[in-house]
Amino acid sequence: MRSHSLLAITRAVSRSLGRCELTHLERSPIDVDLARAQHRAYEEALASLGVRVVSLPEEPDLPDAVFVEDTAVVTAELAVLTRPGAESRRAEVGSVARALAPHRRLARLEAPATLDGGDVLRLGKTFFVGRSGRTGEEGIDRLRELLSPFGYAVEGVPITGCLHLKSAVTCVADGVVLVNPAWVDPRAFGARWIEVDPAEPAAANALRIDDAVIHAARHERTRARLEREGLRVVPVDVSELEKAEGAVTCCSVLIDA
Ligand code: CIR
């Protein structure tokens, strides 16, 4: 059992999800009712792992608002509200700020900085930040200014071929990352790494909760690799959210409460 409690802020799927931002995928029809059912199952998976879920109401006119991860970076000391790289997503931040305000002091990234939370991977006291189409140098520099007083390092990492750093790499256990080496150099993180199965390039996105990882169910070969390493995998079907270029980390902001 962990000695702290974990809270996840999530947000219900928007009826306009079909008009989401897309960068690497062709648009394909999204079944919003199915997306909602899958998202509820994701919230139940979090709850089954002892996480308290605070679910925000749908934002009907903000297609990507379910992907709350992109709006905030939270540490023990403060919550940094981002300025998402996609203009259409900037209006998502205010309501997440209100949800975070009872828990943390708030800081904000201002123009011209841009940064998506999906580009931010924390390993110990280091925040690795993807240099992506969404996150620019000003965003990385400003995050460093905000976090370095608390002893954190912030390091920019090049990525290619994917939307966010956490499309390419996530932490699955202390000192262990799950990575797609075609999209990011695994040596950048000073950690042991497990590679995704080459047939499953999008399988590097896993959401660690203590000694378990929530992982998209369709990536069966990569799941087998994780299980061979002794990790407990909780598979969730997120097929409709994946059509919107989302996955499992992006649907929550985790807070140590
Ligand atoms: C976007 O392009 O912004 C959304 N359609 C998907 C965002 C996914 N976010 C994430 O992985 N952190």
Side-chain angles (χ1 to χ4, degrees):
M1 276 304 284
R2 77 177 88 91
S3 56
H4 58 277
S5 66
L6 210 49
L7 188 141
I9 295 175
T10 62
R11 171 149 44 209
V13 170
S14 172
R15 66 197 65 186
S16 60
L17 180 64
R19 299 200 309 268
C20 63
E21 295 283 339
L22 288 176
T23 307
H24 296 278
L25 292 184
E26 293 293 317
R27 197 166 297 278
S28 62
I30 296 180
D31 179 337
V32 171
D33 289 337
L34 180 55
R36 286 184 171 148
Q38 291 176 342
H39 186 258
R40 278 193 295 273
Y42 167 87
E43 291 174 328
E44 281 160 19
L46 283 167
S48 77
L49 295 171
V51 179
R52 186 158 68 87
V53 178
V54 174
S55 186
L56 304 182
E58 176 200 0
E59 290 281 357
D61 300 321
L62 297 175
D64 283 307
V66 63
F67 303 124
V68 285
E69 166 179 67
D70 293 316
T71 61
V73 176
V74 181
T75 71
E77 298 85 1
L78 85 171
V80 179
L81 303 169
T82 69
R83 182 166 177 270
E87 209 280 326
S88 71
R89 301 202 54 194
R90 295 196 183 136
E92 297 173 22
V93 178
S95 47
V96 174
R98 286 190 288 283
L100 285 168
H103 304 284
R104 292 293 188 276
R105 178 166 81 75
L106 303 181
R108 272 171 208 281
L109 297 189
E110 307 285 355
T114 61
L115 182 138
D116 279 11
D119 276 317
V120 180
L121 171 68
R122 178 176 177 179
L123 295 177
K125 293 289 274 186
T126 301
F127 286 82
F128 294 94
V129 186
R131 296 193 163 98
S132 72
R134 300 289 175 85
T135 297
E137 267 332 290
E138 295 95 340
I140 298 173
D141 290 346
R142 182 69 185 131
L143 189 69
R144 184 179 301 109
E145 278 171 29
L146 289 166
L147 296 184
S148 60
F150 305 107
Y152 298 106
V154 173
E155 275 186 37
V157 182
I159 61 171
T160 45
C162 59
L163 181 61
H164 288 130
L165 177 65
K166 276 188 281 189
S167 320
V169 59
T170 54
C171 178
V172 290
D174 288 340
V176 186
V177 294
L178 173 64
V179 65
N180 176 347
W183 289 347
V184 73
D185 184 345
R187 296 167 300 182
F189 307 101
R192 188 164 80 76
W193 71 85
I194 301 168
E195 296 190 4
V196 299
D197 186 281
E200 298 174 343
N205 187 267
L207 179 60
R208 180 187 179 193
I209 306 289
D210 299 323
D211 62 352
V213 292
I214 295 177
H215 193 236
R218 73 183 170 101
H219 302 307
E220 292 175 5
R221 293 165 178 234
T222 301
R223 175 160 83 240
R225 290 185 178 204
L226 293 169
E227 287 173 342
R228 273 202 300 276
E229 295 277 345
L231 292 164
R232 176 176 159 217
V233 183
V234 179
V236 291
D237 185 354
V238 286
S239 63
E240 299 308 292
L241 299 168
E242 289 177 309
K243 291 178 187 169
E245 279 189 56
V248 292
T249 64
C250 50
C251 294
S252 47
V253 175
L254 290 177
I255 307 165
D256 266 322

